[in-house]
Amino acid sequence: MRFLMKTDYYQDIRIFKYRSTFFWYVALIIGCLLLPKVVDEYLVSQFSFICIYAVAAVGLMLLTGFTGQISMGHAAFFAIGSYTSAILTSHGVPFLIALPASGLVAAIVGVIIGRPILHLTGLYLAIATMGAAFIIEEILVRWESLTNGNMGFLVDPPVIFGFNFDTEASFFYLSLLVLALTLLLAKNILRSPTGRAFIAIRDSEIAAEAMGIDLPNFKTQAFAISAFFTGIAGCLYAHKIMFINPESYTIVLSIELLAIVIIGGLGSLHGAVFGSMFFIFLPQLIIISKDYLPTFIQDQTGLQPALFGLLIVLVMLFEPMGIYGKWLKTKFYFEWFPLYKKDSFKREKKYQKAERH
Amino acid sequence: MAFFQAQDISISFGGVQALNRVNFTVNQGEIFSIIGPNGAGKTTIFNCINRFYDLTGGVFLLEGKSISHAKPHDIADLGIARTFQNIELFKNMTVLDNLILGRHRKRRSNIFTEMLFIKPVRLQEIRSREKAEEIIDFLDLEAHRDQLVVNLPYGVQKTVELGRALAMEPTLLLLDEPTSGLNMEESEDLAFWLSDMKEELGITVIMVEHNMRFVKQTTDRVLAIDFGQAIVEGETNEVLTNPDVMRAYLGEENVCNA
Ligand SMILES: Nc1ncnc2c1ncn2[C@@H]1O[C@H](COP(=O)(O)OP(=O)(O)OP(=O)(O)O)[C@@H](O)[C@H]1O
Ligand SMILES: [Mg+2]
């Protein structure tokens, strides 16, 4: 009897609760591995960008989606990752060391930035992180001896044990591997005490404190781990586009990352990936579908950004839980097919919100 | 030595003297109630114990040692758990996860070992789950185990909050209006659990409560306060029948008429 219960707990802490889920993930990975064989080089390169953005988005998701701390400065950590790896590899440091190092440097800067401002909440924190990012952007421009300033920096493709990842396919496999590892590490954190502490802080700071969660400490950890993954993504990005300068890392990138996690669905790792796909693919889809539209629409300038903007508005209007929310509902619909009720996902509206505790 | 003591505690918010030199003593293993009209300062006492607010004067002593310099998160480590007047659960988590969060102070892992989910972390997770299941059994929460807290009725949420506090394995439990919003049946259950907690787990309980019947039924000793001042402290019956207490609750005229 006792023994039976124990095997139950093991089931509880597994990543894949059901064998079928595991099967689907294996199928997904095989599908990804076959991708470069079936689509053209340009699309493969877009898939690499999806992976890179998804790694950064996982980082931001941990901070904003799970810990509830909004950052509008993640471009800075992305930039630090890029520059760390660019500088290290240009001095002959192997990529395999430069990759974690770029995450680490970003994490350290994350702690330095996060620590003094993490008692701020909501929009105030967002603005403070934005300010910190401006400082870092400025440093990248001014510290010319290290960064080449606005002239920019040439970066080589990654080389691991003599193997050069200079084709689109090989780079895609590398990014996919990094994304898979990132997701695994993030998932492990989330199913452990630290991850639960993050979510607790998001849902109720005072209850979290009463549980013994050290708020400054855990918020700092959230900043650090978030910056770490974003830095890793920055490193991949640098080696993908092979030329970096500070202009690639402005507030626009910070906002894009924030948009990705919100569109994808705050509070889910799936959301980070879905959001990145939406963000990279949609503009492509718009370009492709343009050919099928009537000519007078085709000829409109600025059509693509406008359509993209419109789609973002529509997602926010009709699916505030993001793409992941939609995904859950669709899955639920099929699993419960004849029994599906439209209100299954409706939350009760609660009007009482206490200010005192 | 007294288990828990408040000595001359005072605090004011701007012009409001929310607590004014209040004293009380709680013995090991007893259920102690704090009563008083709305705005008397009852919740403020809890918030000061939790170190959410700094006392302007006086100290709290736990087993003779002052806790007034601890950080808010250290209070849990001292074995003090609490529930809130307006339920402060982690709303977007399941009941089980809320209970497991109560285990936070028992954690021996850090973010690095957790990232790799190595064996000690796995074992720790399993132990947390065993403990959570015990509490689910104790409080009859099986039916709600994997539900999100937001979707639960009020009474069940209150029970989950109690469960989360119990998961911390506290020696001192602070309950802020545990019966408010509960129906008769749920209050009966709560009274039953309270006596179990006292007899079997040896937990000392301080609760703030408006329901006098419930206080009479469950409590060993009572402190009555009004406008931040202690009126009287003593045996339950003694305090509940004290004319000053009745006056504070009912107003001057009503006592004369009664
Ligand atoms: N954070 C705060 N800032 C300002 N005033 C406060 C604060 N917290 C409490 N007070 C004031 O202190 C007094 C006591 O409040 P408290 O919440 O302790 O009352 P209570 O006895 O718990 O009442 P109730 O039965 O309504 O819960 C009230 O006058 C309240 O307005
Ligand atoms: Mg109160």
Side-chain angles (χ1 to χ4, degrees):
Chain A
M1 185 63 204
R2 196 78 192 147
F3 184 72
L4 241 177
M5 273 176 78
K6 282 222 170 176
T7 59
D8 253 353
Y9 295 134
Y10 269 111
Q11 271 165 17
D12 238 14
I13 62 171
R14 267 198 225 134
I15 289 194
F16 305 111
K17 294 250 162 60
Y18 310 106
R19 204 175 282 266
S20 61
T21 328
F22 178 68
F23 169 79
W24 283 113
Y25 276 97
V26 171
L28 181 67
I29 290 172
I30 293 175
C32 285
L33 292 179
L34 292 178
L35 212 56
K37 302 269 180 291
V38 289
V39 302
D40 64 30
E41 286 228 315
Y42 175 73
L43 267 182
V44 175
S45 127
Q46 294 305 304
F47 273 104
S48 300
F49 278 117
I50 289 178
C51 294
I52 294 170
Y53 273 78
V55 171
V58 167
L60 186 57
M61 188 63 89
L62 286 173
L63 186 68
T64 301
F66 287 100
T67 321
Q69 314 294 309
I70 305 175
S71 164
M72 285 211 316
H74 261 52
F77 303 130
F78 202 80
I80 289 167
S82 288
Y83 274 92
T84 305
S85 189
I87 292 163
L88 286 178
T89 49
S90 75
H91 285 85
V93 177
F95 176 77
L96 214 47
I97 294 172
L99 178 71
S102 40
L104 225 57
V105 175
I108 292 167
V109 176
V111 171
I112 296 170
I113 293 179
R115 194 86 212 184
I117 59 175
L118 45 72
H119 60 274
L120 298 173
T121 51
L123 289 174
Y124 298 95
L125 179 68
I127 300 301
T129 49
M130 184 182 82
F134 285 159
I135 298 173
I136 288 172
E137 203 187 314
E138 201 54 30
I139 292 174
L140 292 179
V141 175
R142 302 286 167 209
W143 196 350
E144 288 186 8
S145 57
L146 193 68
T147 66
N148 269 358
N150 280 326
M151 302 280 291
F153 214 112
L154 282 171
V155 188
D156 292 328
V159 179
I160 297 177
F161 297 130
F163 184 85
N164 199 332
F165 290 82
D166 53 358
T167 63
E168 291 298 349
S170 62
F171 196 94
F172 169 63
Y173 289 142
L174 177 67
S175 326
L176 188 66
L177 179 68
V178 174
L179 173 61
L181 283 176
T182 301
L183 286 169
L184 180 68
L185 297 183
K187 180 72 195 171
N188 281 344
I189 294 173
L190 289 172
R191 59 184 176 145
S192 308
T194 304
R196 281 192 294 263
F198 288 169
I199 303 173
I201 291 172
R202 179 192 70 191
D203 283 3
S204 167
E205 289 201 355
I206 52 157
E209 242 176 348
M211 302 281 94
I213 293 168
D214 180 350
L215 291 187
N217 180 348
F218 278 86
K219 283 186 184 177
T220 310
Q221 289 192 41
F223 255 95
I225 192 72
S226 176
F228 177 82
F229 287 133
T230 307
I232 294 277
C235 163
L236 285 177
Y237 181 80
H239 292 275
K240 175 81 181 79
I241 62 169
M242 304 211 284
F243 172 76
I244 56 173
N245 74 355
E247 270 162 44
S248 324
Y249 308 98
T250 57
I251 175 95
V252 176
L253 176 62
S254 296
I255 293 174
E256 277 174 1
L257 288 173
L258 206 51
I260 286 175
V261 296
I262 294 173
I263 293 170
L266 284 176
S268 90
L269 291 178
H270 286 86
V273 179
F274 288 155
S276 308
M277 290 170 74
F278 179 96
F279 219 79
I280 303 283
F281 264 146
L282 216 56
Q284 311 292 335
L285 275 181
I286 294 170
I287 293 171
I288 295 168
S289 59
K290 219 171 148 178
D291 297 344
Y292 300 97
L293 294 174
T295 26
F296 72 93
I297 297 183
Q298 272 185 36
D299 295 341
Q300 295 291 324
T301 48
L303 180 71
Q304 188 207 328
L307 256 180
F308 187 49
L310 180 67
L311 281 165
I312 293 177
V313 173
L314 290 179
V315 170
M316 286 298 95
L317 269 181
F318 294 107
E319 206 47 76
M321 283 163 78
I323 302 172
Y324 183 62
K326 189 83 215 160
W327 164 258
L328 280 184
K329 284 179 197 171
T330 316
K331 211 168 79 168
F332 190 80
Y333 178 81
F334 283 110
E335 278 172 6
W336 292 86
F337 173 61
L339 302 174
Y340 181 77
K341 280 200 309 245
K342 211 168 160 234
D343 287 347
S344 304
F345 277 83
K346 271 237 173 81
R347 295 233 164 121
E348 254 179 80
K349 276 221 174 70
K350 297 239 165 72
Y351 293 100
Q352 29 137 272
K353 175 70 196 136
E355 278 131 45
R356 281 195 284 136
H357 19 277
Chain B
M1 183 194 0
F3 180 65
F4 185 80
Q5 246 181 323
Q7 285 181 348
D8 280 334
I9 53 166
S10 304
I11 185 172
S12 49
F13 299 105
V16 185
Q17 183 82 26
L19 291 172
N20 189 4
R21 303 180 76 87
V22 174
N23 289 284
F24 63 90
T25 301
V26 182
N27 300 312
Q28 175 111 43
E30 77 179 356
I31 298 182
F32 184 89
S33 282
I34 300 174
I35 63 169
N38 290 114
K42 305 176 300 291
T43 301
T44 304
I45 295 181
F46 280 6
N47 285 340
C48 290
I49 296 176
N50 267 104
R51 304 277 302 119
F52 294 151
Y53 304 144
D54 283 323
L55 289 174
T56 44
V59 281
F60 289 109
L61 301 176
L62 180 70
E63 295 182 302
K65 283 197 277 294
S66 164
I67 62 168
S68 296
H69 297 289
K71 294 249 174 59
H73 66 263
D74 291 329
I75 296 301
D77 281 331
L78 296 172
I80 301 177
R82 88 173 265 195
T83 66
F84 296 84
Q85 187 167 349
N86 300 304
I87 306 188
E88 288 285 343
L89 283 168
F90 307 118
K91 292 213 162 68
N92 298 305
M93 288 189 184
T94 63
V95 169
L96 185 70
D97 278 338
N98 267 278
L99 297 180
I100 292 176
L101 255 158
R103 309 293 299 161
H104 182 85
R105 75 187 187 96
K106 302 277 176 186
R107 93 188 179 122
R108 292 289 166 270
S109 54
N110 57 47
I111 195 167
F112 300 109
T113 55
E114 288 167 3
M115 237 191 287
L116 303 174
F117 215 64
I118 57 174
K119 189 132 194 245
V121 179
R122 288 203 294 273
L123 292 177
Q124 174 178 276
E125 282 302 300
I126 285 165
R127 270 198 308 278
S128 298
R129 278 177 165 72
E130 281 170 348
K131 187 72 199 172
E133 296 295 344
E134 268 173 48
I135 287 162
I136 287 175
D137 267 354
F138 180 63
L139 298 177
D140 276 336
L141 286 167
E142 282 89 355
H144 310 290
R145 189 175 179 278
D146 294 313
Q147 272 174 299
L148 290 186
V149 165
V150 258
N151 301 327
L152 295 176
Y154 192 80
V156 181
Q157 292 197 13
K158 286 221 107 157
T159 311
V160 175
E161 207 188 19
L162 174 66
R164 186 182 64 184
L166 286 178
M168 295 165 72
E169 295 185 40
T171 49
L172 177 62
L173 181 58
L174 314 177
L175 304 176
D176 200 345
E177 306 203 5
T179 69
S180 79
L182 298 191
N183 59 33
M184 278 293 284
E185 198 185 328
E186 288 167 329
S187 303
E188 289 299 320
D189 283 343
L190 182 64
F192 172 76
W193 291 327
L194 271 178
S195 73
D196 258 15
M197 277 154 44
K198 179 178 151 178
E199 308 298 333
E200 288 174 25
L201 305 174
I203 298 174
T204 308
V205 178
I206 305 179
M207 71 180 168
V208 167
E209 188 50 69
H210 279 303
N211 178 344
M212 288 309 139
R213 196 168 23 161
F214 188 77
V215 171
K216 215 178 241 167
Q217 186 186 355
T218 54
T219 303
D220 298 305
R221 280 169 357 95
V222 176
L223 165 76
I225 61 172
D226 192 15
F227 293 116
Q229 305 225 342
I231 305 175
V232 58
E233 177 189 347
E235 300 293 322
T236 305
N237 283 327
E238 195 182 304
V239 174
L240 294 188
T241 53
N242 181 302
D244 289 333
V245 174
M246 293 175 81
R247 195 171 296 127
Y249 258 97
L250 302 170
E252 199 74 49
E253 323 81 69
N254 294 324
V255 176
C256 303
N257 297 342

